[in-house]
Amino acid sequence: VQLQASGGGLVQPGGSLRVSCTVSGFRLDSTGIGWFRQAPGKEREGVASIAGSDGITVYADSVKGRFTISRDNAKNTFFLEMNSLKPDDTADYYCVVEIRSRMGPLSMRSSTYHYWGQGTLVTVSS
């Protein structure tokens, strides 16, 4: 099982970016998916998730209305669309999968998720 995150980069404040996570080794179809992030010197935090069984989404208060999580099961890939980016959004972003198809809303605790991708760095700076 592998999760490959991509799409990070440098973006100006107010800009947009989409990060992707391509999964290999199993089908995403009914799994829970999510994104975490960790900024330098800060604790890791859950950003967004979609429950596998019912599609209920959860967003951290800090990103509500700006970030959107989505999935393309046919491509075994999921995404985090980030708009109105702020310097505080600068972090390594990690994609995660929950394989027991739990009902939503999914917890934002790290222990909920069974597989993790490597981080993709998003830097918001002018």
Side-chain angles (χ1 to χ4, degrees):
V1 175
Q2 283 191 324
L3 280 64
Q4 181 70 46
S6 62
L10 174 64
V11 61
Q12 292 187 341
S16 299
L17 198 66
R18 186 177 78 163
V19 291
S20 303
C21 184
T22 300
V23 179
S24 58
F26 66 91
R27 295 297 309 171
L28 271 183
D29 297 353
S30 60
T31 59
I33 57 174
W35 291 91
F36 281 70
R37 69 184 181 185
Q38 187 165 21
K42 295 186 178 180
E43 291 189 358
R44 184 168 53 193
E45 66 168 335
V47 175
S49 67
I50 300 178
S53 63
D54 55 19
I56 291 177
T57 57
V58 177
Y59 293 94
D61 288 343
S62 57
V63 306
K64 278 180 184 175
R66 300 188 298 121
F67 289 14
T68 303
I69 186 172
S70 62
R71 66 198 301 163
D72 184 340
N73 288 342
K75 295 183 178 179
N76 232 35
T77 300
F78 59 100
F79 310 95
L80 184 69
E81 183 78 35
M82 302 179 287
N83 298 312
S84 302
L85 282 161
K86 306 174 183 180
D88 282 351
D89 295 318
T90 295
D92 280 307
Y93 283 74
Y94 299 88
C95 54
V96 296
V97 170
E98 184 279 319
I99 63 172
R100 294 180 181 154
S101 299
R102 294 175 180 172
M103 295 186 69
L106 289 181
S107 167
M108 283 298 190
R109 291 188 302 179
S110 300
S111 58
T112 299
Y113 301 91
H114 304 96
Y115 294 107
W116 291 68
Q118 90 294 353
T120 186
L121 178 62
V122 174
T123 302
V124 184
S125 175
S126 54

